[in-house]
Amino acid sequence: TLTSLKKLTQAYAVTAFLALMIGVLLGPLQALNYGGINVYDSPLLKALLGSYYQGLTLHGVLNALVFTQFFISGWMLYLPVRDLNVRPNMRFAWFTYLTMTAGLLTAAVPLLTNDATVLYTFYPPLEGSPVFYIGAAVMVAASLLVAGQVVWLWLAWKRAHPGRVTPVVTYMSVATWLMWVVAALGLVVEVVVLLIPWSLGLTRGVDPLLARTLFWWTGHPIVYFWLLPAYISWYAFLPRQAGGRMASEGLTRLAFAMFLVFSVPVGLHHQYADPNVQNTWKVIHMFLTFLVAVPSLLTAFSAAASLEDAARAHGGRGLIGWVRRLPWGNASMTAQVLAMVSFIFGGAGGIVNASIAFSPVVHNTAWIPGHFHITVGTATTLTFMGVMFWLVPHLTGKRLASPRVALASVWWWFTGMMLLALGMHWQGLAGVPRRALVSASAQQGVYDAMHLGLPKAITAASGIVLFVAAILFYAVLWRTLLSRRVDDPERTPIPTSEAISAAGETLADASPLVRRTEPLLALTFAALVLVILVYGPVIAPMLANYQFIPGQRLW
Ligand code: HAS
C-alpha cells in the first residue's frame, strides 16, 4: 500500500507541476504586456494563440486552478494517511486521481481550441463551450471525493481510538478538507445548475449576478484551500527543517478551526462594485473578512516564533540578528521563509482590498494581480516548490539534483514575484486596469501619457526574472525525477516537528483549547449555519428576480 500511495502522491505532484510549467511559460507574456510590450502580436504567438485572452485564460486556469488542486489533493491525502498510519482504499484513491485527470483533459480541449476563453473566473454572460464547464465540474467533484476519503479515514481512526486527540497534521488536513466541502457548494451549484444547462442551450440565458455570487461563495475560500496546505508545512514541517519546534499545537488548531468556520461567509468582498446587493450585507462580509485574517495573524506569530526558537537554539542573537542563523543553505527552508516574507505584503494588500472604502481605488486594476502573485504565487506556489525538494526524494528515493541550483531558483522566484508585485501595485494605483491588453496600440497613448515608465519596466523585468527562476527550478525537478533511485525513500523522512507546547495524547489530558477545537464536524455545521445566515438574504432576492441573459463570446 505504501509504495502505491507514494506513486499516487508522485502522480498528483508531477501532474500539478506539469500544469504549472505550461502556465508559467505564459506568464512572461502577461508581464511584458504590463511593461508596454505586446508579444501577443508576434507571428509565432499569433499562430499559437487566438488572443491575449486565450493566453490569460490558460495562464490562470493552469496555475491557479489545476496546479493547486492536483498538488493539494495528493499532499492532503498522503499526509493524514501517514500521520494516522492507516490503510486507504488505494483503488478508490487511484480512481479519484484518474477522474480528476479526465476532468482536466476534457476541460483542456476547449481551452486549447480557443472555445473557452472565459478567464479563470468564467463570469457569465461570457460563454464558453459546455465541454469546459463539464471538465471543470468533474475536476472539482474528484477533489470532493478525496475530501470524502480523508474524512472517512479520520472518522474510522476516531472510532478505533476513542478519547484520543487527533494528531495535529491530520487535524489541519481534515479541517482544510471540510472547509473545502462547504466552500465548493457555491461553485458546484453555479456550474451544474446554471452554466452547464445554459451552455448546452437548454435555458434561455443565465443570471450573471447570481452566478457571480455563487462563484465568490467558492472563490474566496478557494484561496484558503490553496493557502492552508502551505500553512500545514509552515506549522508542522518548516520548524524541524529550520532546526526547531512548532510553537503551540493548541494555537495551530485554533487557527485551522477559525479558517473552517470563517473562510466562506466573506465572498461579497469581491462584489462591492456589484449592483443589486444591499450595502449592509457587503459591510457584514467585510467585517467577517477582517475576522478571517486573524488566523493568518496567529500563523505569522507562530511561524515567526518557531523560526526564532530554531535560530536561537543554534546561537542566534539580537532582536533580528538571529535571522542569520537560519539554515539559509537549505533550499526547502529558504523557499518557505521567502514565501512568508512576501506574504506579509500579500496579506496586507488583501486587507486593503477587503476595506470597502479602499476597494474602489484598487478594484479591477493591475493592483489585484499584484496582490495575488504574492499570495497564491508565493505563499502557495513557492512553498510547494520548496516542499518538492524533500517530497520527491522522500517519495522516490532519488537525491535532489543540484541543491545549489534549487536554492538559486527560489531566490529568483521570490525576487521575480516581489518585482511583479511592486510594478503591478504601482500601476494599479495609477489606474491601469486588470484583464486588459494595455500594450495594444489603440490604448497605448493613454498609458504613455501616465508616465509609468518605471513601474512598467519593473513589471516587464519581473517576467524575465520569473522565466529564469522557472528554468532553474524545472531543471532541478526533472533532473531529480529522471535520475536513478539511490536510497531507501524513507531515509528522507517527513520532517514532522515536535511542539514546544504539545496537545497531549488524550482529550482528558488536553487543554480546554484543544478539547474545544477537536469536534471538527460540529465546527463544519457551525460554518454551514453561518454561511446560510449571511448568504441566504443575499441570494433569495436574486432567485426571486432571476434574469435570463443570453451568452456572449469574447474571442
Ligand atoms: Fe486575496 C482578490 C482579500 C489572502 C488570492 N485574492 C484576490 C484574488 C486572488 C487572491 C487570486 O477583500 C483575485 C480574484 C479575482 O480574480 O478577482 N485576500 C484578501 C484578504 C486576505 C487575502 C483579506 N488572497 C489571499 C490569499 C490568496 C489570495 C492567501 C491566495 C492564496 N483578495 C482580497 C479581496 C480581493 C482579493 C478583497 C478582491 C479584490 C477586488 O477588488 O477584486 C487575507 O487572508 C490575508 C491575511 C494574511 C495576512 C498575512 C499573514 C502573514 C504571514 C507571514 C508571516 C511571515 C513570517 C516571516 C513569519 C494577515 C502568515 C518571518 C521572516 C523571517 C525572515 C524570520
Side-chain angles (χ1 to χ4, degrees), residues 120-121 123 216 220 223-224 226-227 231 234 259 269-270 272 289 292-293 296-297 299-301 303-304 307 322-323 326 328 337 339-341 343-344 346-355 359 362-364 368 371-372 375-377 379-380 434-435:
Y120 79 140
T121 39
Y123 288 153
W216 288 117
H220 190 76
V223 312
Y224 301 124
W226 304 334
L227 179 71
Y231 275 9
W234 296 0
F259 276 118
H269 70 221
H270 291 264
Y272 292 146
T289 307
V292 79
S296 282
L297 294 168
T299 305
F301 168 79
L307 291 177
W322 55 265
V323 170
L326 290 171
W328 291 104
V337 175
M340 285 177 176
V341 172
F343 191 50
I344 296 174
I351 290 168
V352 171
N353 300 343
S355 310
S359 171
V362 296
H363 182 60
N364 275 344
I368 304 300
H371 160 70
F372 65 67
T375 50
V376 65
T380 300
R434 71 179 285 199
R435 308 187 192 98

Side-chain angles (χ1 to χ4, degrees), residues 141-225:
S143 76
L144 294 174
L145 293 179
V146 187
Q149 186 169 26
V150 172
V151 174
W152 178 269
L153 288 167
W154 168 66
L155 289 173
W157 180 90
K158 285 206 55 100
R159 275 195 301 276
H161 301 84
R164 286 269 299 277
V165 176
T166 302
V168 70
V169 170
T170 306
Y171 184 91
M172 294 189 276
S173 310
V174 172
T176 308
W177 277 124
L178 287 170
M179 184 280 289
W180 176 237
V181 171
V182 179
L185 292 175
L187 191 67
V188 168
V189 173
E190 185 203 2
V191 174
V192 175
V193 180
L194 302 185
L195 300 188
I196 293 178
W198 164 65
S199 61
L200 285 169
L202 301 176
T203 52
R204 283 186 284 132
V206 71
D207 188 325
L209 183 62
L210 178 61
R212 281 165 68 90
T213 307
L214 291 169
F215 180 86
W216 288 117
W217 167 316
T218 306
H220 190 76
I222 205 175
V223 312
Y224 301 124
F225 181 56

